[in-house]
Amino acid sequence: MQAHLAATDLACRRGERVLFRGVSLALGPGAACRIAGPNGIGKTSLIRILAGLLRPLAGTVERRGAIALLDDRHALDAQLPLGRALAFWARLDRADVGRQARRLGLAGLEDVPVRYLSTGQKKRAALARLAAQGAPVWLLDEPLNGLDAEGALLCEALVAEHCAEGGIAVVASHQVMAMPAPATLALADFALPGPA
């Protein structure tokens, strides 16, 4: 099955305020899309709508292929050592998370409880799980937050490889991130002023 992600005329409301209206996109195998805009405009909300975690005020989303989400919720049990926390996801996803964890510089940290890891190490662990899942559609919300320069380069390489293999990547990031020929969706173009 080929990856496909499309949205038609999406609108999003937070509380009494409509953040955006009329957002559409269509992405096929190998496509990358950068979601741009200032804080509070709805980038995270759009990612969550595309993932199926948030219902849009209006519009539809069509997905073909499994979705993998990377956001600030790393979904790692803080009480477990990193190796056991990743092993949980390896069993659930039926994936070799360990290989990706080594690639992302986490070798030697398997016995360290997740709660003692740095923000960047937790982000690397979340990236390892994302890369190992095998999901054709990646939704990344601020994937570079907490990463040092080396970690950012590894993240960019993972996204480039994913798209080169026919995957789709949608990235919301305030930081400059190298991506393979991305389309840009500027949410400011769809924003509505004030309460609606």
Side-chain angles (χ1 to χ4, degrees), residues 52-177:
L53 298 174
L54 184 65
R55 176 175 281 162
L57 175 64
T60 59
V61 177
E62 179 186 329
R63 307 167 196 87
R64 281 201 306 271
I67 300 237
L69 172 67
L70 177 77
D71 61 11
D72 61 350
R73 299 168 192 92
H74 302 304
L76 298 168
D77 188 328
Q79 304 309 312
L80 290 180
L82 177 61
R84 285 184 47 207
L86 288 176
F88 168 81
W89 289 113
R91 285 189 305 276
L92 191 67
D93 296 334
R94 297 183 178 155
D96 184 5
V97 178
R99 182 177 69 81
Q100 293 294 344
R102 289 186 295 278
R103 177 183 180 189
L104 285 158
L106 297 171
L109 297 175
E110 295 86 358
D111 295 328
V112 177
V114 169
R115 69 183 178 276
Y116 294 130
L117 297 176
S118 72
T119 300
Q121 290 168 330
K122 291 174 188 171
K123 180 61 69 81
R124 286 176 185 237
L127 282 166
R129 184 195 173 210
L130 175 89
Q133 277 181 286
V137 179
W138 286 6
L139 303 174
L140 297 92
D141 188 12
E142 300 295 348
L144 303 183
N145 279 0
L147 292 176
D148 57 19
E150 179 188 3
L153 289 174
L154 286 168
C155 180
E156 290 171 349
L158 287 173
V159 170
E161 290 168 13
H162 178 68
C163 291
E165 293 167 359
I168 293 172
V170 179
V171 178
S173 180
H174 287 101
Q175 299 168 350
V176 176
M177 180 173 169

Side-chain angles (χ1 to χ4, degrees), residues 2-11 22-29 31 33 35 46-52 54 56 58-67 136-139 168-170 185:
Q2 288 196 331
H4 175 75
L5 179 65
T8 305
D9 291 327
L10 291 180
V23 172
S24 296
L25 60 85
L27 304 170
C33 179
I35 301 172
L46 178 56
I47 289 281
R48 294 181 65 75
I49 288 170
L50 294 174
L54 184 65
T60 59
V61 177
E62 179 186 329
R63 307 167 196 87
R64 281 201 306 271
I67 300 237
V137 179
W138 286 6
L139 303 174
I168 293 172
V170 179
L185 178 66

